[in-house]
Amino acid sequence: MKSDFLQKQTSRREMVRESVTLAGSAFLAHLFPATLLRAYAQQTPSPTDLASIRAQMGAAPIETQKLADNLTLLSGPGGNLVVLNGPDGKFVVDTFLSPAWPKLKETLDGIGSAPLKFVIDTHWHFDHTDNNAPLHAAGATVLAHENTKKRMSEPHDLPVFGLHFDPSPAEALPQQTFAASHKLEANGETLMLQHFAPAHTDTDIYIHFQKANVIHMGDTFFNGFYPYIDSSTGGKISGMIAAADKILPLANNYTKIVPGHGPLGNKADLTKFREMLVTAHDRVQKLRSAGKSAQEAVAEKPFADLDPVWGQGRLNADAFVQVVYLAL
């Protein structure tokens, strides 16, 4: 009996260590290109390494795409931003990585002369909140779910990579938060903000620009490739599926759906993404229920048929098995 107990305790410790390793690997794979990760894999990274990776990612060009007369999509160093512009001011959804600030400011100035009014964070991750502080200093009120402020106020560690994220400075924290939903009226547009149940994280919201028929889903939608799910801050694959279930009835064949990462999508793209998530959930759940460890689940190659379509991003099938395993 005693030996069985010790064996169970050891297995539990091994699972925790494995989980930390997998979570750290997947988080960096989500944020940074594989070539950079390989370059840093030969040493134990320090915060200065993170700064250099951040700088390299932040150097990506900013591409613009019109979504409506007063709505612009910005894509580049940290995912996808949406800017609502008009006489009531500029409303910016997400903020890119910090080194992109000069280019972001130039781009925003080029959209129009209206002052910055609001910044809306889709969730807490720093590739979406890094420029909260300069945007706030330029006049914007930062608005987010209450959990985003909570997560940004905490330190976060990825021990396997030696990475430490300090709490965000006070000036970067949201000045205004909400618990369930929030409504804004501006520039002839109605913005409905709604919190998701824990999905990519426990901080996720979507923003529905009702007149323009545009929905920004943040990182609850990765268009065309496997998503990262941050189980360390509440992420659940069941919540990712539920997020798609919430958005699909709001969309029609003309709705433009903005993912956190990837090209502009539509209802058909989100439907395919949801189908992949359901398949991934069911296959990994079956393996886990059979007592397989995460590494044993990887060895079963449950996503071999999915990988040619969905494995073209920063996570391949093996990495995504691990992400799903932790996010069940």
Side-chain angles (χ1 to χ4, degrees):
M1 179 69 70
K2 186 175 180 180
S3 62
D4 288 346
F5 174 78
L6 290 174
Q7 185 176 2
K8 288 177 182 177
Q9 291 294 100
T10 301
S11 298
R12 192 173 293 115
R13 285 194 297 269
E14 288 172 351
M15 178 172 286
V16 169
R17 283 198 298 271
E18 185 179 74
S19 296
V20 169
T21 301
L22 299 180
S25 303
F27 185 71
L28 288 183
H30 157 62
L31 289 175
F32 309 127
T35 51
L36 282 176
L37 290 180
R38 283 195 293 270
Y40 286 93
Q42 305 305 316
Q43 57 184 342
T44 301
S46 68
T48 55
D49 293 320
L50 177 59
S52 63
I53 296 172
R54 203 178 207 155
Q56 191 157 349
M57 288 292 289
I62 296 175
E63 300 178 357
T64 64
Q65 182 178 349
K66 274 285 188 183
L67 301 179
D69 288 342
N70 59 355
L71 211 59
T72 305
L73 172 64
L74 308 182
S75 301
N80 292 317
L81 275 63
V82 170
V83 183
L84 173 68
N85 179 62
D88 296 323
K90 293 191 184 82
F91 292 66
V92 182
V93 179
D94 284 346
T95 74
F96 287 151
L97 288 160
S98 55
W101 169 240
K103 290 182 296 183
L104 176 57
K105 183 180 185 303
E106 180 182 353
T107 304
L108 291 172
D109 289 345
I111 288 175
S113 59
L116 287 162
K117 188 72 172 179
F118 271 95
V119 167
I120 302 169
D121 295 331
T122 60
H123 63 292
W124 79 271
H125 284 156
F126 76 104
D127 52 326
H128 298 260
T129 62
D130 243 6
N131 285 307
N132 279 5
L135 284 161
H136 176 54
T141 296
V142 180
L143 172 63
H145 187 262
E146 60 189 15
N147 287 352
T148 293
K149 184 173 184 178
K150 175 180 178 289
R151 293 298 189 185
M152 291 179 68
S153 301
E154 301 168 341
H156 297 275
D157 289 289
L158 294 178
V160 68
F161 283 97
L163 297 180
H164 173 78
F165 299 87
D166 289 326
S168 298
E171 58 270 22
L173 298 177
Q175 292 85 47
Q176 187 174 338
T177 63
F178 62 94
S181 62
H182 191 80
K183 182 178 180 180
L184 294 169
E185 302 269 2
N187 301 322
E189 181 61 85
T190 299
L191 292 73
M192 290 300 303
L193 286 60
Q194 182 77 39
H195 181 231
F196 288 119
H200 174 66
T201 67
D202 62 9
T203 70
D204 304 302
I205 66 169
Y206 69 87
I207 300 91
H208 188 186
F209 299 88
Q210 294 183 331
K211 182 179 178 182
N213 196 18
V214 171
I215 302 172
H216 196 318
M217 290 184 64
D219 280 5
T220 64
F221 179 30
F222 282 54
N223 190 16
F225 47 94
Y226 297 127
Y228 173 62
I229 305 170
D230 184 3
S231 55
S232 72
T233 55
K236 297 286 184 184
I237 188 169
S238 59
M240 294 286 285
I241 296 166
D245 288 339
K246 181 173 281 192
I247 297 302
L248 286 170
L250 299 177
N252 58 35
N253 292 336
Y254 302 99
T255 306
K256 295 171 182 173
I257 304 178
V258 179
H261 299 271
L264 181 65
N266 55 32
K267 188 171 186 175
D269 295 323
L270 182 57
T271 300
K272 292 174 185 174
F273 180 70
R274 181 197 179 278
E275 291 170 353
M276 178 274 292
L277 290 175
V278 170
T279 299
H281 171 279
D282 292 351
R283 291 178 182 178
V284 177
Q285 181 65 69
K286 183 177 180 180
L287 292 170
R288 185 165 179 171
S289 296
K292 302 286 187 182
S293 70
Q295 294 295 355
E296 288 169 339
V298 169
E300 295 285 335
K301 301 295 180 184
F303 300 160
D305 58 325
L306 301 178
D307 217 37
V309 174
W310 298 98
Q312 307 307 309
R314 292 179 186 142
L315 296 178
N316 62 18
D318 289 354
F320 190 53
V321 171
Q322 298 166 353
V323 167
V324 173
Y325 191 96
L326 292 174
L328 286 171

